[in-house]
C-alpha cells in the first residue's frame, strides 16, 4: 500500500493506492455531517455493497447517475447540484466521486461550483481513472457534444485508488487504462518502460501487487508534471503523446469503434512511425512499443487507408490549429518526447497515408 503526497498549486492531499486502502476513508470523513456519494448504475451494482458496509456508521446519501460518456453532460452536473441544494448541503458537507473518469469529472465539477467549492473526495474505480483522470484536478463535462468544453481545475481533499476494484472491469476497460500506463512510461520514464516489459504477463492477468506498482509510478510521473505545470500550458503536454491522433481517430469513427485508450494506442504508433521517418527515433524503440501493445491485445493500426486519410483530414481541419501546420508530441528516445512545431500536415498525409 502506497501513499503519495500531491502538492498542486496551493493544494496538498494524499493519494492512497493499493488493496485494502479504503479504511482510511473513515478517518477523513469524521468531520463531515453530510456526505454525498455520486456513482453510476454499473458501479452501484458491482461495488457499492462493500463501500456501504464500510460507511455503515455514517449518514451518507447516494446519487446514482446513468453510466457512460453520453451522460457526461451539464444535465448530470445539474442533477448533482439540485440534489445538494434540495438536501441542504453546504460547505461543511463533502461530495465523493465513486466511479470512473466520467463520474470523477462531473462530480468534481459539481463540487467545484456548488457554493463556490465544497470538499471533494475521489474514489476512482477504473484503471484509466486511477492513473490519469483522478490525478491533476481537471473537472468538467461535455457541452453541445464537444468534449470537456466546460469545466475547471479543482483539487480533491484525498484520492483512494483501491486496486481490488479493478478486478470487476471488463478486459477491454482494463486494457483501455493500460494504454495510458504504457503512454506514461514510453513518453516519460525509460526505466518504468523496461520494468513494464519485464512484468507484462503479470499485468495482463491483473496481479494486484504488480498493478499497484504500475499505478504508483504512473501517478508519480503525472504528479511531477502537473506540479510543474498545473494549468496545462507546458510540460504537462508531454502526456498528450499519441492524443492528437487518438482524438482524431475517436472523432472519425464517431466515438463508437474505439475506447479512448485504444485510440491513444494507435495514435502512439502513428507518432512513432512519423518520428522514425523524421530521424528522431530509432526504429527499435518503435518495435518495443508495438510488441508491448500487441502482447496485451491493444490495437496498433487503423488498418484501413480510408480511415487513415480521414484521421489526417480531421487533424488538418481541426479548428484548434492554425494554417496547415501542426504541433505534435513526438518521441525522440525511450522515455523522452519532444514538442515539435510546424509539422506540415498536408505533406504528412501524403507521405504517411499508406504506412
Ligand atoms: N480529468 C482528467 O484529467 C481526465 C483524464 C483522462 C480522462 N478523463 C475523462 O475520463 C473519462 C473516461 O474515464 P473511464 O475510462 O474511467 O470511463 P467511465 O467512467 O465511463 O467508465 C467506463 C465504464 O466502466 C464502468 N466501470 C467503472 N468502474 C468499474 C468497475 N470497477 N468495475 C466494472 N465496471 C466499472 C463504468 O460504469 C463505465 O460503464 C472521459 O470522459 C475522459 O474525458 C479525464
Amino acid at each position: 500500500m502506497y501513499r503519495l503526497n500531491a502538492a498542486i498549486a496551493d493544494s496538498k492531499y494524499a493519494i492512497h493506492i493499493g488493496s485494502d486502502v479504503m479504511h482510511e476513508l473513515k478517518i477523513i470523513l469524521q468531520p463531515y455531517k453530510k456526505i454525498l456519494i455520486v456513482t453510476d448504475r454499473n458501479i452501484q451494482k458491482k461495488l457499492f455493497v462493500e463501500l456501504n458496509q464500510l460507511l455503515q456508521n455514517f449518514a451518507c446519501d447516494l446519487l446514482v447517475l446513468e453510466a457512460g460518456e453520453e451522460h457526461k453532460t451539464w444535465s448530470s452536473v445539474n442533477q448533482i447540484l439540485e440534489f445538494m441544494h434540495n438536501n441542504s448541503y453546504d460547505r461543511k458537507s463533502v461530495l465523493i466521486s465513486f466511479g470512473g473518469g466520467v463520474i470523477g469529472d462531473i462530480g468534481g465539477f459539481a463540487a467545484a461550483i456548488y457554493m463556490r467549492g465544497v470538499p471533494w473526495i475521489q474514489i476512482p474505480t477504473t484503471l484509466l481513472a486511477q492513473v490519469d483522470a483522478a490525478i491533476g484536478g481537471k473537472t468538467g463535462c461535455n457541452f453541445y457534444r464537444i468534449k470537456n468544453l466546460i469545466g475547471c481545475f479543482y483539487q480533491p481533499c484525498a484520492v483512494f485508488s483501491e486496486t481490488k476494484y479493478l478486478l470487476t472491469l471488463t478486459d477491454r476497460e482494463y486494457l483501455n487504462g493500460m494504454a495510458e500506463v504504457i503512454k506514461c512510461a514510453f513518453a516519460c520514464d525509460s526505466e518504468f518502460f523496461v520494468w513494464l516489459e519485464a512484468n507484462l504477463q503479470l499485468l495482463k492477468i491483473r496481479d494486484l501487487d504488480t498493478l499497484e506498482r504500475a499505478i504508483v509510478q504512473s501517478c508519480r510521473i503525472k504528479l511531477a508534471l502537473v506540479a510543474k505545470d498545473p494549468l496545462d500550458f507546458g510540460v504537462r503536454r508531454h502526456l498528450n503523446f499519441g492524443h492528437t491522433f487518438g482524438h482524431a481517430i475517436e472523432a472519425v469513427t464517431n466515438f463508437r469503434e474505439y475506447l479512448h485508450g485504444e485510440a491513444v494506442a494507435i495514435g502512439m504508433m502513428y507518432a512513432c512511425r512519423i518520428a522514425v521517418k523524421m530521424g528522431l527515433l530509432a526504429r527499435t524503440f518503435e518495435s518495443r512499443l508495438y510488441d508491448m501493445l500487441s502482447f496485451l491485445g491493444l490495437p496498433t493500426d487503423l488498418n484501413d487507408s480510408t480511415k487513415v486519410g480521414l484521421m489526417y483530414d480531421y487533424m488538418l481541419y481541426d479548428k484548434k490549429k492554425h494554417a496547415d501546420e501542426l504541433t505534435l508530441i513526438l518521441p525522440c528516445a525511450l522515455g523522452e518526447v519532444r514538442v515539435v512545431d510546424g509539422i506540415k500536415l498536408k505533406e504528412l498525409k501524403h507521405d504517411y497515408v499508406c504506412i
Side-chain angles (χ1 to χ4, degrees):
M1 189 172 118
Y2 282 80
R3 180 194 154 111
L4 296 179
N5 293 316
I8 300 169
D10 291 335
S11 309
K12 289 190 171 45
Y13 56 93
I15 301 172
H16 307 266
I17 303 167
S19 55
D20 294 322
V21 293
M22 296 307 293
H23 53 271
E24 280 268 334
L25 176 65
K26 291 205 279 191
I27 301 162
I28 290 195
L29 287 179
Q30 291 295 347
Y32 299 108
K33 297 250 162 6
K34 289 181 94 62
I35 301 165
L36 173 60
I37 301 172
V38 178
T39 193
D40 76 30
R41 218 162 276 292
N42 296 338
I43 300 153
Q44 181 201 19
K45 280 190 210 133
K46 294 199 161 116
L47 302 174
F48 186 63
V49 175
E50 200 187 307
L51 184 66
N52 198 26
Q53 226 157 30
L54 181 84
L55 300 181
Q56 58 186 328
N57 295 328
F58 291 82
C60 298
D61 291 315
L62 176 68
L63 179 61
V64 183
L65 303 174
E66 294 304 323
E69 186 70 29
E70 63 274 30
H71 298 287
K72 189 177 163 179
T73 55
W74 174 250
S75 153
S76 298
V77 176
N78 196 43
Q79 250 181 284
I80 304 173
L81 298 173
E82 279 186 344
F83 186 96
M84 289 198 285
H85 171 64
N86 292 338
N87 292 282
S88 308
Y89 272 68
D90 61 21
R91 290 169 74 182
K92 291 189 188 125
S93 320
V94 64
L95 187 154
I96 300 178
S97 284
F98 182 48
V102 168
I103 290 295
D105 281 10
I106 55 181
F109 188 33
I113 59 178
Y114 185 74
M115 293 188 160
R116 298 196 182 89
V118 294
W120 171 48
I121 291 170
Q122 292 233 60
I123 310 179
T125 61
T126 62
L127 181 56
L128 185 131
Q130 294 191 356
V131 298
D132 193 1
I135 310 296
K138 279 187 187 170
T139 74
C141 66
N142 305 333
F143 199 59
Y144 284 90
R145 294 189 169 270
I146 301 172
K147 228 176 126 59
N148 301 328
L149 187 66
I150 52 178
C152 60
F153 288 93
Y154 192 63
Q155 303 297 336
C157 12
V159 179
F160 292 87
S161 291
E162 170 59 63
T163 47
K164 275 191 304 193
Y165 290 160
L166 305 180
L167 298 175
T168 52
L169 285 173
T170 60
D171 282 345
R172 195 169 174 208
E173 287 291 355
Y174 173 69
L175 291 176
N176 186 43
M178 272 307 294
E180 295 286 356
V181 172
I182 293 168
K183 174 208 73 182
C184 251
F186 193 79
C188 303
D189 185 340
S190 58
E191 266 181 47
F192 183 31
F193 190 84
V194 172
W195 181 87
L196 287 178
E197 285 179 320
N199 289 281
L200 214 48
Q201 178 57 29
L202 287 170
L203 288 168
K204 195 172 184 176
I205 59 165
R206 303 188 210 186
D207 172 73
L208 287 186
D209 289 339
T210 317
L211 200 43
E212 179 177 305
R213 290 182 64 187
I215 295 165
V216 167
Q217 191 54 17
S218 304
C219 290
R220 275 198 185 121
I221 292 169
K222 183 159 182 188
L223 280 174
L225 294 175
V226 171
K228 280 190 206 148
D229 177 22
L231 301 182
D232 204 5
F233 290 121
V235 284
R236 191 168 174 172
R237 287 194 299 162
H238 288 187
L239 292 174
N240 287 342
F241 169 54
H243 280 64
T244 306
F245 292 94
H247 287 146
I249 291 165
E250 285 180 280
V252 303
T253 54
N254 295 319
F255 293 90
R256 293 216 178 93
E257 214 167 310
Y258 298 102
L259 296 176
H260 176 70
E262 294 169 340
V264 167
I266 300 172
M268 289 193 284
M269 287 311 303
Y270 276 97
C272 279
R273 287 171 195 138
I274 287 166
V276 168
K277 265 219 155 159
M278 286 171 69
L280 277 178
L281 182 75
R283 191 172 284 282
T284 145
F285 297 136
E286 178 203 344
S287 308
R288 282 166 71 178
L289 179 61
Y290 175 86
D291 290 347
M292 188 175 283
L293 297 172
S294 309
F295 178 82
L296 293 173
L298 279 160
T300 53
D301 209 326
L302 280 173
N303 290 323
D304 177 338
S305 59
T306 311
K307 280 186 193 152
V308 178
L310 286 172
M311 172 183 79
Y312 279 117
D313 285 342
Y314 182 90
M315 289 159 73
L316 193 58
Y317 297 113
D318 183 11
K319 61 185 179 310
K320 279 183 253 166
K321 231 176 6 40
H322 57 91
D324 74 330
E325 291 188 351
L326 189 72
T327 299
L328 287 177
I329 313 293
L330 295 179
C332 48
L334 194 58
E336 223 179 289
V337 287
R338 197 181 284 175
V339 181
V340 184
D341 293 313
I343 294 186
K344 298 266 184 240
L345 209 62
K346 277 190 183 136
E347 288 169 23
L348 256 190
K349 182 183 174 190
H350 179 263
D351 286 357
Y352 297 102
V353 79
C354 294
I355 51 176

